[in-house]
mmCIF file of all heavy atoms in Angstrom:
data_model
loop_
_atom_site.group_PDB
_atom_site.id
_atom_site.type_symbol
_atom_site.label_atom_id
_atom_site.label_comp_id
_atom_site.label_asym_id
_atom_site.label_seq_id
_atom_site.Cartn_x
_atom_site.Cartn_y
_atom_site.Cartn_z
ATOM 1 N N TYR A 1 -4.388 0.102 8.612
ATOM 2 C CA TYR A 1 -4.996 0.647 7.414
ATOM 3 C C TYR A 1 -4.106 0.730 6.183
ATOM 4 O O TYR A 1 -4.391 0.524 5.096
ATOM 5 C CB TYR A 1 -5.677 2.019 7.620
ATOM 6 C CG TYR A 1 -7.040 1.861 8.314
ATOM 7 C CD1 TYR A 1 -7.199 2.051 9.669
ATOM 8 C CD2 TYR A 1 -8.129 1.490 7.627
ATOM 9 C CE1 TYR A 1 -8.437 1.872 10.314
ATOM 10 C CE2 TYR A 1 -9.421 1.313 8.186
ATOM 11 C CZ TYR A 1 -9.539 1.491 9.470
ATOM 12 O OH TYR A 1 -10.708 1.350 10.137
ATOM 13 N N TYR A 2 -2.800 1.053 6.489
ATOM 14 C CA TYR A 2 -1.827 1.083 5.410
ATOM 15 C C TYR A 2 -1.579 -0.419 4.859
ATOM 16 O O TYR A 2 -1.391 -0.552 3.647
ATOM 17 C CB TYR A 2 -0.416 1.626 5.836
ATOM 18 C CG TYR A 2 -0.475 3.119 6.173
ATOM 19 C CD1 TYR A 2 0.224 3.744 7.267
ATOM 20 C CD2 TYR A 2 -1.070 3.987 5.282
ATOM 21 C CE1 TYR A 2 0.224 5.035 7.350
ATOM 22 C CE2 TYR A 2 -1.020 5.445 5.453
ATOM 23 C CZ TYR A 2 -0.437 5.912 6.579
ATOM 24 O OH TYR A 2 -0.364 7.329 6.819
ATOM 25 N N GLU A 3 -1.655 -1.365 5.750
ATOM 26 C CA GLU A 3 -1.512 -2.737 5.396
ATOM 27 C C GLU A 3 -2.559 -3.166 4.461
ATOM 28 O O GLU A 3 -2.393 -3.771 3.466
ATOM 29 C CB GLU A 3 -1.411 -3.618 6.532
ATOM 30 C CG GLU A 3 -0.171 -3.572 7.397
ATOM 31 C CD GLU A 3 1.011 -4.510 6.976
ATOM 32 O OE1 GLU A 3 0.844 -4.997 5.833
ATOM 33 O OE2 GLU A 3 1.977 -4.651 7.777
ATOM 34 N N ARG A 4 -3.844 -2.835 4.835
ATOM 35 C CA ARG A 4 -5.027 -3.123 4.039
ATOM 36 C C ARG A 4 -4.911 -2.419 2.770
ATOM 37 O O ARG A 4 -5.272 -2.900 1.709
ATOM 38 C CB ARG A 4 -6.270 -2.742 4.770
ATOM 39 C CG ARG A 4 -6.717 -3.649 5.904
ATOM 40 C CD ARG A 4 -7.799 -3.224 6.706
ATOM 41 N NE ARG A 4 -9.017 -3.059 5.997
ATOM 42 C CZ ARG A 4 -10.129 -2.570 6.427
ATOM 43 N NH1 ARG A 4 -10.214 -1.958 7.597
ATOM 44 N NH2 ARG A 4 -11.233 -2.529 5.670
ATOM 45 N N ASN A 5 -4.431 -1.168 2.713
ATOM 46 C CA ASN A 5 -4.309 -0.360 1.472
ATOM 47 C C ASN A 5 -3.259 -1.141 0.555
ATOM 48 O O ASN A 5 -3.504 -1.301 -0.675
ATOM 49 C CB ASN A 5 -3.828 1.079 1.706
ATOM 50 C CG ASN A 5 -3.271 1.746 0.585
ATOM 51 O OD1 ASN A 5 -2.059 1.831 0.333
ATOM 52 N ND2 ASN A 5 -4.070 2.345 -0.319
ATOM 53 N N LEU A 6 -2.134 -1.462 1.145
ATOM 54 C CA LEU A 6 -0.996 -2.175 0.459
ATOM 55 C C LEU A 6 -1.564 -3.406 -0.278
ATOM 56 O O LEU A 6 -1.303 -3.643 -1.414
ATOM 57 C CB LEU A 6 0.073 -2.486 1.341
ATOM 58 C CG LEU A 6 1.301 -3.129 0.745
ATOM 59 C CD1 LEU A 6 1.966 -2.265 -0.391
ATOM 60 C CD2 LEU A 6 2.433 -3.512 1.833
ATOM 61 N N SER A 7 -2.244 -4.280 0.471
ATOM 62 C CA SER A 7 -2.629 -5.405 -0.208
ATOM 63 C C SER A 7 -3.626 -5.247 -1.395
ATOM 64 O O SER A 7 -3.595 -5.969 -2.385
ATOM 65 C CB SER A 7 -3.283 -6.580 0.811
ATOM 66 O OG SER A 7 -4.467 -6.096 1.364
ATOM 67 N N LEU A 8 -4.461 -4.218 -1.193
ATOM 68 C CA LEU A 8 -5.427 -3.856 -2.244
ATOM 69 C C LEU A 8 -4.761 -3.230 -3.522
ATOM 70 O O LEU A 8 -4.992 -3.689 -4.562
ATOM 71 C CB LEU A 8 -6.503 -2.987 -1.793
ATOM 72 C CG LEU A 8 -7.733 -2.643 -2.623
ATOM 73 C CD1 LEU A 8 -8.318 -3.835 -3.241
ATOM 74 C CD2 LEU A 8 -8.787 -1.867 -1.908
ATOM 75 N N VAL A 9 -3.732 -2.369 -3.344
ATOM 76 C CA VAL A 9 -3.039 -1.779 -4.464
ATOM 77 C C VAL A 9 -2.127 -2.754 -5.099
ATOM 78 O O VAL A 9 -1.820 -2.733 -6.284
ATOM 79 C CB VAL A 9 -2.363 -0.397 -4.014
ATOM 80 C CG1 VAL A 9 -3.288 0.638 -3.739
ATOM 81 C CG2 VAL A 9 -1.178 -0.628 -3.044
ATOM 82 N N LYS A 10 -1.694 -3.811 -4.389
ATOM 83 C CA LYS A 10 -0.968 -4.923 -4.975
ATOM 84 C C LYS A 10 -1.885 -5.728 -5.932
ATOM 85 O O LYS A 10 -1.509 -6.021 -7.053
ATOM 86 C CB LYS A 10 -0.473 -5.891 -3.923
ATOM 87 C CG LYS A 10 0.993 -5.411 -3.259
ATOM 88 C CD LYS A 10 1.443 -6.450 -2.264
ATOM 89 C CE LYS A 10 2.749 -6.119 -1.698
ATOM 90 N NZ LYS A 10 3.166 -7.049 -0.622
ATOM 91 N N GLU A 11 -3.067 -5.934 -5.523
ATOM 92 C CA GLU A 11 -4.146 -6.588 -6.251
ATOM 93 C C GLU A 11 -4.338 -5.753 -7.579
ATOM 94 O O GLU A 11 -4.619 -6.352 -8.579
ATOM 95 C CB GLU A 11 -5.351 -6.642 -5.519
ATOM 96 C CG GLU A 11 -6.398 -7.664 -5.789
ATOM 97 C CD GLU A 11 -7.577 -7.545 -4.958
ATOM 98 O OE1 GLU A 11 -7.484 -7.746 -3.659
ATOM 99 O OE2 GLU A 11 -8.721 -7.319 -5.492
ATOM 100 N N LEU A 12 -4.482 -4.385 -7.411
ATOM 101 C CA LEU A 12 -4.645 -3.506 -8.601
ATOM 102 C C LEU A 12 -3.394 -3.290 -9.376
ATOM 103 O O LEU A 12 -3.567 -2.723 -10.440
ATOM 104 C CB LEU A 12 -5.205 -2.209 -8.016
ATOM 105 C CG LEU A 12 -6.498 -2.147 -7.360
ATOM 106 C CD1 LEU A 12 -6.850 -0.903 -6.593
ATOM 107 C CD2 LEU A 12 -7.722 -2.457 -8.307
ATOM 108 N N GLY A 13 -2.292 -3.815 -8.925
ATOM 109 C CA GLY A 13 -0.991 -3.588 -9.706
ATOM 110 C C GLY A 13 -0.567 -2.097 -9.688
ATOM 111 O O GLY A 13 0.156 -1.762 -10.753
ATOM 112 N N ASP A 14 -0.885 -1.368 -8.797
ATOM 113 C CA ASP A 14 -0.575 0.098 -8.724
ATOM 114 C C ASP A 14 0.852 0.260 -7.933
ATOM 115 O O ASP A 14 0.798 0.312 -6.709
ATOM 116 C CB ASP A 14 -1.645 0.872 -8.138
ATOM 117 C CG ASP A 14 -1.432 2.390 -8.166
ATOM 118 O OD1 ASP A 14 -0.179 2.780 -8.341
ATOM 119 O OD2 ASP A 14 -2.276 3.194 -7.969
ATOM 120 N N ARG A 15 1.828 0.239 -8.743
ATOM 121 C CA ARG A 15 3.206 0.306 -8.011
ATOM 122 C C ARG A 15 3.452 1.578 -7.292
ATOM 123 O O ARG A 15 4.085 1.668 -6.285
ATOM 124 C CB ARG A 15 4.347 0.090 -9.079
ATOM 125 C CG ARG A 15 4.450 -1.254 -9.574
ATOM 126 C CD ARG A 15 4.921 -2.160 -8.586
ATOM 127 N NE ARG A 15 6.345 -2.243 -8.310
ATOM 128 C CZ ARG A 15 6.951 -2.810 -7.320
ATOM 129 N NH1 ARG A 15 6.262 -3.480 -6.381
ATOM 130 N NH2 ARG A 15 8.275 -2.893 -7.196
ATOM 131 N N ALA A 16 3.046 2.779 -7.952
ATOM 132 C CA ALA A 16 3.201 4.019 -7.304
ATOM 133 C C ALA A 16 2.551 4.045 -5.923
ATOM 134 O O ALA A 16 3.174 4.582 -4.890
ATOM 135 C CB ALA A 16 2.683 5.216 -8.074
ATOM 136 N N ALA A 17 1.285 3.576 -5.852
ATOM 137 C CA ALA A 17 0.543 3.581 -4.589
ATOM 138 C C ALA A 17 1.238 2.607 -3.567
ATOM 139 O O ALA A 17 1.262 2.839 -2.367
ATOM 140 C CB ALA A 17 -0.896 3.124 -4.842
ATOM 141 N N GLN A 18 1.862 1.471 -4.090
ATOM 142 C CA GLN A 18 2.570 0.578 -3.106
ATOM 143 C C GLN A 18 3.727 1.283 -2.521
ATOM 144 O O GLN A 18 4.000 1.117 -1.360
ATOM 145 C CB GLN A 18 3.003 -0.658 -3.956
ATOM 146 C CG GLN A 18 2.022 -1.658 -4.359
ATOM 147 C CD GLN A 18 2.516 -2.628 -5.374
ATOM 148 O OE1 GLN A 18 3.507 -3.287 -5.189
ATOM 149 N NE2 GLN A 18 1.726 -2.845 -6.483
ATOM 150 N N GLY A 19 4.435 2.063 -3.347
ATOM 151 C CA GLY A 19 5.571 2.888 -2.865
ATOM 152 C C GLY A 19 5.090 3.809 -1.657
ATOM 153 O O GLY A 19 5.809 3.876 -0.640
ATOM 154 N N ARG A 20 3.997 4.549 -1.848
ATOM 155 C CA ARG A 20 3.446 5.373 -0.885
ATOM 156 C C ARG A 20 3.178 4.545 0.489
ATOM 157 O O ARG A 20 3.467 4.983 1.580
ATOM 158 C CB ARG A 20 2.333 6.099 -1.260
ATOM 159 C CG ARG A 20 2.667 7.208 -2.345
ATOM 160 C CD ARG A 20 1.446 8.158 -2.585
ATOM 161 N NE ARG A 20 0.387 7.514 -3.260
ATOM 162 C CZ ARG A 20 0.327 7.391 -4.609
ATOM 163 N NH1 ARG A 20 1.299 7.827 -5.425
ATOM 164 N NH2 ARG A 20 -0.746 6.840 -5.176
ATOM 165 N N ALA A 21 2.483 3.485 0.279
ATOM 166 C CA ALA A 21 2.100 2.649 1.344
ATOM 167 C C ALA A 21 3.352 2.106 2.225
ATOM 168 O O ALA A 21 3.346 2.194 3.366
ATOM 169 C CB ALA A 21 1.298 1.399 0.967
ATOM 170 N N TYR A 22 4.369 1.576 1.421
ATOM 171 C CA TYR A 22 5.581 1.112 2.075
ATOM 172 C C TYR A 22 6.187 2.248 2.817
ATOM 173 O O TYR A 22 6.711 2.025 4.046
ATOM 174 C CB TYR A 22 6.526 0.616 1.049
ATOM 175 C CG TYR A 22 6.271 -0.800 0.560
ATOM 176 C CD1 TYR A 22 6.120 -1.091 -0.791
ATOM 177 C CD2 TYR A 22 6.083 -1.929 1.483
ATOM 178 C CE1 TYR A 22 5.866 -2.372 -1.213
ATOM 179 C CE2 TYR A 22 5.840 -3.147 0.986
ATOM 180 C CZ TYR A 22 5.701 -3.450 -0.314
ATOM 181 O OH TYR A 22 5.418 -4.687 -0.788
ATOM 182 N N GLY A 23 6.348 3.438 2.325
ATOM 183 C CA GLY A 23 6.943 4.584 3.059
ATOM 184 C C GLY A 23 6.291 4.912 4.288
ATOM 185 O O GLY A 23 6.959 5.034 5.323
ATOM 186 N N ASN A 24 4.901 4.899 4.213
ATOM 187 C CA ASN A 24 4.230 5.264 5.471
ATOM 188 C C ASN A 24 4.228 4.092 6.472
ATOM 189 O O ASN A 24 4.216 4.367 7.723
ATOM 190 C CB ASN A 24 2.713 5.724 5.099
ATOM 191 C CG ASN A 24 2.656 6.957 4.582
ATOM 192 O OD1 ASN A 24 3.389 7.866 4.897
ATOM 193 N ND2 ASN A 24 1.670 7.228 3.660
ATOM 194 N N LEU A 25 4.228 2.930 6.067
ATOM 195 C CA LEU A 25 4.391 1.725 6.998
ATOM 196 C C LEU A 25 5.725 1.782 7.708
ATOM 197 O O LEU A 25 5.763 1.563 8.823
ATOM 198 C CB LEU A 25 4.192 0.475 6.159
ATOM 199 C CG LEU A 25 2.819 -0.014 5.960
ATOM 200 C CD1 LEU A 25 2.722 -1.200 4.904
ATOM 201 C CD2 LEU A 25 2.139 -0.559 7.231
ATOM 202 N N GLY A 26 6.730 2.174 6.792
ATOM 203 C CA GLY A 26 8.093 2.421 7.404
ATOM 204 C C GLY A 26 8.096 3.415 8.580
ATOM 205 O O GLY A 26 8.557 3.224 9.646
ATOM 206 N N ASN A 27 7.417 4.525 8.239
ATOM 207 C CA ASN A 27 7.410 5.617 9.302
ATOM 208 C C ASN A 27 6.617 5.375 10.442
ATOM 209 O O ASN A 27 7.052 5.636 11.505
ATOM 210 C CB ASN A 27 6.809 6.912 8.633
ATOM 211 C CG ASN A 27 7.667 7.559 7.555
ATOM 212 O OD1 ASN A 27 8.927 7.279 7.509
ATOM 213 N ND2 ASN A 27 7.093 8.200 6.501
#
């Protein structure tokens, strides 16, 4: 689900949300 979120927020150009997704994917 984080991966799906990440690809969508990349599409939306939302950098802050990308940061959150990367952090949670890392965890």
Side-chain angles (χ1 to χ4, degrees):
Y1 279 100
Y2 288 141
E3 289 274 13
R4 285 173 63 188
N5 165 263
L6 180 61
S7 68
L8 191 48
V9 294
K10 276 183 176 170
E11 202 184 299
L12 294 167
D14 185 342
R15 286 295 278 167
Q18 286 169 46
R20 289 192 291 274
Y22 281 126
N24 283 329
L25 277 163
N27 291 335

